[in-house]
Amino acid sequence: MGISAARCQTSHMVGIQVEFVDDAGASEPPRNRAPRLVGARPVSLALAEPALWIAAAVLSVFATFQTIFTYRFTGDSITSRGGYDAWGHALDAQLNTDHGPRYAVLLWLCATLFALLAAALLGGGFSAGRAGRWTQARAGAIGLAVVGLLAGVLAGVALGVESSFSVYRGLAKTLNDTHGGVELLIGGCIWFGLASLACALGAVLVHAWSGKRTHLREREDRYSQATGEG
């Protein structure tokens, strides 16, 4: 009886077919990636550029309160010292009626434009909308124009200092003093102006680099959409 029962169970299991399905190659539903803001810049770059513009504006303002140059003229018969500040005021009490170029007006103009650029970028630099893209696209050109204006102002200041030094040196030769001479010291206006120019140039470079990076990201997004990825 035991043998016949085992044969009966075996006969019932013969007709059973077991099928194993491998679903490793089955297509999975596409995973939706978080959408990226096309045209938006990284936070570090969005903050670095306006920070440099603000620094350039502050340094330009500091330059307006500095002297352009000071001189000391010594001789056997005359001794004089003086100079001019960024507003054209003579530092020598005997030359109160004399007035030099008012470079501070142009420096204040540059500082105002730098501050406006920083405000525009802080307001629209994080946005991927039309206003943000418009600001990002034109900030570089506007900033470069203001940088050119500041460079022109500093070049004018340097030429004015050279001209004044030539006049004082010629006066020293005219007096024929054996112990005469002219000492000329560059004031803080030029140094603060050069520091402002360096910050502004840095902001232009950051803008150009971030714009190139944004363009590459836009191309990557368009390629991903065209190939159906993400």
Side-chain angles (χ1 to χ4, degrees):
M1 290 296 293
I3 298 175
S4 62
R7 290 179 179 176
C8 181
Q9 292 179 3
T10 304
S11 63
H12 285 291
M13 296 178 61
V14 170
I16 299 177
Q17 295 181 358
V18 180
E19 182 179 0
F20 297 93
V21 179
D22 185 10
D23 57 351
S27 60
E28 297 181 357
R31 298 179 180 178
N32 295 326
R33 293 183 300 178
R36 287 192 304 184
L37 296 178
V38 179
R41 298 184 299 173
V43 177
S44 58
L45 294 179
L47 290 176
E49 185 179 352
L52 288 171
W53 288 126
I54 292 174
V58 172
L59 290 170
S60 293
V61 172
F62 283 165
T64 62
F65 297 102
Q66 306 298 318
T67 59
I68 295 179
F69 70 92
T70 57
Y71 68 88
R72 181 182 179 185
F73 181 83
T74 58
D76 297 334
S77 58
I78 185 175
T79 299
S80 176
R81 65 178 58 190
Y84 291 91
D85 61 10
W87 293 98
H89 300 143
L91 304 180
D92 189 356
Q94 300 177 358
L95 300 176
N96 286 333
T97 57
D98 192 12
H99 207 288
R102 295 178 175 88
Y103 296 109
V105 176
L106 294 177
L107 290 173
W108 267 104
L109 176 60
C110 292
T112 302
L113 294 176
F114 288 151
L116 290 176
L117 277 172
L121 288 172
L122 287 175
F126 295 99
S127 174
R130 183 178 300 177
R133 292 171 66 90
W134 190 94
T135 303
Q136 295 175 23
R138 289 159 179 80
I142 298 173
L144 191 61
V146 184
V147 167
L149 175 61
L150 179 59
V153 173
L154 294 178
V157 173
L159 291 175
V161 171
E162 176 62 26
S163 177
S164 299
F165 183 66
S166 298
V167 171
Y168 297 138
R169 187 169 50 189
L171 179 60
K173 292 182 179 180
T174 302
L175 295 176
N176 292 322
D177 290 337
T178 57
H179 302 288
V182 179
E183 295 179 1
L184 189 68
L185 297 177
I186 304 299
C189 178
I190 295 180
W191 302 121
F192 277 103
L194 290 175
S196 175
L197 182 63
C199 291
L201 287 174
V204 171
L205 293 177
V206 169
H207 181 85
W209 185 70
S210 62
K212 182 178 180 180
R213 182 172 179 176
T214 300
H215 179 67
L216 293 176
R217 290 185 63 186
E218 290 179 355
R219 291 183 59 184
E220 179 184 352
D221 289 339
R222 287 196 296 267
Y223 177 78
S224 299
Q225 293 175 3
T227 56
E229 295 180 0

